Amino acid sequence: MPPPPPTVVHEHVTDAVKAPDLVRLGPHTVLARFETLKVYAALGAVRQLLERGVVTPGQTMVDSSSGIYALALAMACHRHGLRCHIVASTTVDETMRVQLEILGATVDQMPPAHDLRLDQERRVRRVRELIAERPDMHWMRQYHDAVHYAGYREFAELVRAALPGRELTVVGAVGTGSSTGGLVLPLREHGLDVRLVGIQPFGSVTFGAERFRDPEAIIAGIGSSIPFENVRHQLYDAVHWIDFRHAMAGAVGLLRDHAVFAGLSTGAAHLAAGWEGARHPGRTCLVIGPDTGHRYVERVFARHREAADPRTLKPHQITDLADLAPPWSVMEWRRRPHPVRPAPARVARAGRPRRPAEDRGRETAS
């Protein structure tokens, strides 16, 4: 029996949690399962800012967050002797808030808002107020500052070592753009054939779905109600827009079939990866799982009996944003630089997935 690999003793917990566990979901599908993906972004950004002299130890870093970036930034600040202030979304729960406070971060918890657009705009407005009051604060601007791309080069090296010499499809939530973009850029620089598939919720402006509303949406971190400069649209080969109930089906299916407890954006990516893999069978599909499922226990996993079987769900294939429709649409983006806005339309609501028999001839069979 070969000797076990040496055990690494980490100098700080961020080194232990930043790298994912790679889990095989099928012959050609691998999940990169993170405890908190954005440790790469926060650590890489903080290190660069310190090295460039933009910030100094003891200074306060401030930003808005819907959850996992908040914890990642607090941990990076803890490691490097910086202070941290978070303007927290309504989706930041008590468990997260308590961790932030114990880590030394101060937290502005925004009041409840049923409209995620209002929540996001309110958070940004609050950050601007803080910066005006305290010019010594450094606004991390996770949505806009390209410094957040830096840390993902380490993730790219891990992927190259684990999945060498293969055609690769990366499927992940777009969010701020830095996680998928920061992974794919260095992989392509090394000559790998990488297809990038982005996941979006209905209602997000990032890829032109702002005219829709998904009443149950709680996956605030994968889309946006405001434009993000860190999203480089020209990196994406395809985009899937997925509503809450389809993301729930993917998350519950992932736990049921593979014993992987992960968040809603992972569920949406898992669902999309199944469809992508069937159409590109010669490629290895890497699914990005940015966080665990703990934030979604009551509103998602406790409702597992309501979840549809992912194998019965299919997207509506479109070639123009004007044809975008809930509950699940897919479009070949073809690395275009920015969304082509559709004609104004009546606000539509993402609904429950339909069964194949109810499909009225469209490709959105559920």
Side-chain angles (χ1 to χ4, degrees):
M1 180 182 246
T7 300
V8 177
V9 178
H10 300 289
E11 295 301 318
H12 191 269
V13 70
T14 48
D15 288 331
V17 301
K18 67 182 178 183
D21 298 310
L22 298 179
V23 181
R24 187 166 297 283
L25 303 181
H28 303 290
T29 305
V30 175
L31 170 69
R33 177 190 177 275
F34 288 88
E35 181 175 331
T36 172
L37 164 70
K38 292 195 175 181
V39 170
Y40 272 129
L43 270 182
V46 165
R47 283 171 176 164
Q48 280 216 358
L49 292 170
L50 286 167
E51 289 169 2
R52 286 158 33 190
V54 177
V55 301
T56 56
Q59 198 169 345
T60 301
M61 309 293 100
V62 61
D63 214 346
S64 159
S65 175
S66 61
I68 62 175
Y69 180 79
L71 184 57
L73 181 59
M75 294 169 76
C77 289
H78 180 275
R79 178 169 190 167
H80 290 286
L82 296 161
R83 300 179 187 277
C84 181
H85 187 97
I86 299 295
V87 178
S89 167
T90 57
T91 59
V92 173
D93 60 15
E94 181 72 4
T95 301
M96 178 76 73
R97 188 184 64 79
V98 168
Q99 289 182 78
L100 293 171
E101 291 180 352
I102 293 173
L103 280 167
T106 50
V107 180
D108 270 341
Q109 180 82 58
M110 292 293 98
H114 296 295
D115 187 338
L116 291 178
R117 179 185 181 88
L118 176 63
D119 174 58
Q120 201 161 40
E121 291 176 344
R122 182 189 289 159
R123 284 186 278 134
V124 173
R125 187 165 60 247
R126 176 56 180 155
V127 172
R128 292 187 184 279
E129 291 172 357
L130 289 167
I131 295 296
E133 294 167 5
R134 292 185 50 189
D136 61 308
M137 281 186 165
H138 179 81
W139 186 1
M140 291 297 293
R141 299 178 75 242
Q142 65 153 324
Y143 306 139
H144 309 299
D145 193 337
V147 73
H148 290 89
Y149 273 66
Y152 291 106
R153 287 190 170 271
E154 188 177 343
F155 180 27
E157 289 303 309
L158 185 154
V159 170
R160 284 182 62 212
L163 305 171
R166 300 185 183 185
E167 294 179 329
L168 187 65
T169 296
V170 173
V171 184
V174 175
T176 65
S178 61
S179 58
T180 48
L183 169 63
V184 164
L185 273 173
L187 291 176
R188 288 178 179 167
E189 288 170 5
H190 281 92
L192 275 72
D193 177 4
V194 183
R195 173 177 166 84
L196 178 55
V197 178
I199 305 299
Q200 283 279 277
F202 288 95
S204 173
V205 306
T206 306
F207 281 89
E210 60 268 30
R211 71 187 189 277
F212 297 95
R213 294 292 179 268
D214 185 347
E216 295 188 277
I218 56 173
I219 41 179
I222 80 171
S224 176
S225 64
I226 58 176
F228 287 168
E229 293 175 20
N230 266 345
V231 176
R232 303 180 188 179
H233 297 85
Q234 67 272 22
L235 296 178
Y236 296 85
D237 295 284
V239 179
H240 288 248
W241 294 264
I242 296 176
D243 78 349
F244 167 82
R245 291 208 165 236
H246 279 61
M248 178 171 75
V252 171
L254 186 61
L255 180 56
R256 179 177 291 126
D257 296 340
H258 301 284
V260 174
F261 185 49
L264 269 184
S265 60
T266 309
H270 176 233
L271 183 67
W275 191 86
E276 290 283 337
R279 278 144 192 82
H280 304 278
R283 308 178 70 89
T284 295
C285 195
L286 179 67
V287 181
I288 308 300
D291 64 348
T292 66
H294 294 87
R295 288 196 294 161
Y296 306 100
V297 170
E298 292 184 5
R299 296 180 66 179
V300 176
F301 292 99
R303 299 166 57 185
H304 62 91
R305 292 179 182 83
E306 301 174 32
D309 183 343
R311 292 167 294 189
T312 69
L313 306 179
K314 298 177 183 177
H316 173 42
Q317 298 179 66
I318 64 173
T319 57
D320 191 288
L321 283 174
D323 299 322
L324 184 63
W328 178 10
S329 290
V330 59
M331 179 175 171
E332 288 295 314
W333 192 256
R334 305 187 191 283
R335 305 190 187 184
R336 286 180 287 176
H338 56 78
V340 177
R341 300 294 179 191
R346 179 176 59 85
V347 170
R349 294 168 73 88
R352 293 172 180 259
R354 292 168 295 183
R355 297 295 177 187
E358 303 170 326
D359 183 33
R360 301 196 298 265
R362 296 175 61 193
E363 290 186 80
T364 46
S366 296

